Amino acid sequence: KTRCERCAATTPANIFSKKEITIESGQPYRVLVIDDDPDVLALICAQLKPAGYRVMVGRGGSEALRMAVVEPPDVILCDLMMPDVDGITVIKKLRGDPRCTTIPVIFSTGSNDATTRRRIREITAIEPLIKPFSGNKLRAAVETSLAAKNPPVAKTSVVVS
């Protein structure tokens, strides 16, 4: 095991040496993970890094707000309930910044009640991840969000005669 320099949590040592999923520029997709729980951050890092994503960690809403405007991510995974700034407030503030208006957002929460789901749907159409969630569900949510933001481009050829 080794300590993740971003989330300061202990994770399996081999998660830092896998392939990267890249965008057209050749860079890996950036996932901003916002959560105040270091154990949750470590688990998410352990699932996304081996899948090839570059994980940016915000250890709370205030830190994540600063990070997102400096280097806008390709997708955001945001905890709903945090002590400094709650997830809904974080995303509403980010939506006010032109650099962040189109970033897909996936909320994670331990609450599955109707009021929570309604609050989340006011911000995003993406279904929230209910804690605890599996690595497969996490990766599928990220992949689906990225695919919706970056649909495949049909390749066409032009014949000049």
Side-chain angles (χ1 to χ4, degrees):
K1 295 198 176 241
T2 186
R3 291 193 68 77
C4 175
E5 69 280 359
R6 295 231 175 218
C7 62
T10 303
T11 55
N14 64 347
I15 70 167
F16 302 103
S17 62
K18 303 289 182 177
K19 65 179 172 67
E20 292 184 332
I21 297 174
T22 58
I23 53 181
E24 286 182 19
S25 67
Q27 299 298 312
Y29 282 112
R30 297 174 310 270
V31 180
L32 174 57
V33 181
I34 309 167
D35 203 302
D36 59 308
D37 185 333
D39 293 331
V40 172
L41 290 170
L43 290 170
I44 292 171
C45 285
Q47 290 298 318
L48 294 179
K49 285 184 178 185
Y53 297 102
R54 179 169 162 234
V55 181
M56 303 160 48
V57 173
R59 291 175 205 86
S62 299
E63 180 180 5
L65 284 167
R66 289 187 298 274
M67 292 174 67
V69 296
V70 171
E71 185 179 1
D74 297 299
V75 66
I76 297 171
L77 175 62
C78 185
D79 185 22
L80 190 61
M81 302 301 290
M82 295 179 285
D84 64 337
V85 182
D86 72 89
I88 300 271
T89 302
V90 169
I91 300 307
K92 283 183 176 178
K93 286 182 179 183
L94 286 176
R95 293 287 190 242
D97 187 306
R99 297 167 288 194
C100 301
T101 57
T102 62
I103 300 170
V105 176
I106 306 162
F107 281 105
S108 63
T109 180
S111 176
N112 195 17
D113 62 81
T115 303
T116 300
R117 292 177 95 69
R118 182 184 46 70
R119 288 181 64 215
I120 289 170
R121 282 195 192 103
E122 291 173 1
I123 305 295
T124 181
I126 301 169
E127 280 296 310
L129 290 170
I130 307 301
K131 295 176 184 176
F133 47 82
S134 70
N136 288 339
K137 281 190 177 185
L138 170 64
R139 288 186 304 277
V142 170
E143 290 167 13
T144 301
S145 298
L146 288 168
K149 181 182 176 187
N150 305 299
V153 178
K155 297 195 180 199
T156 59
S157 57
V158 178
V159 177
V160 179
S161 44

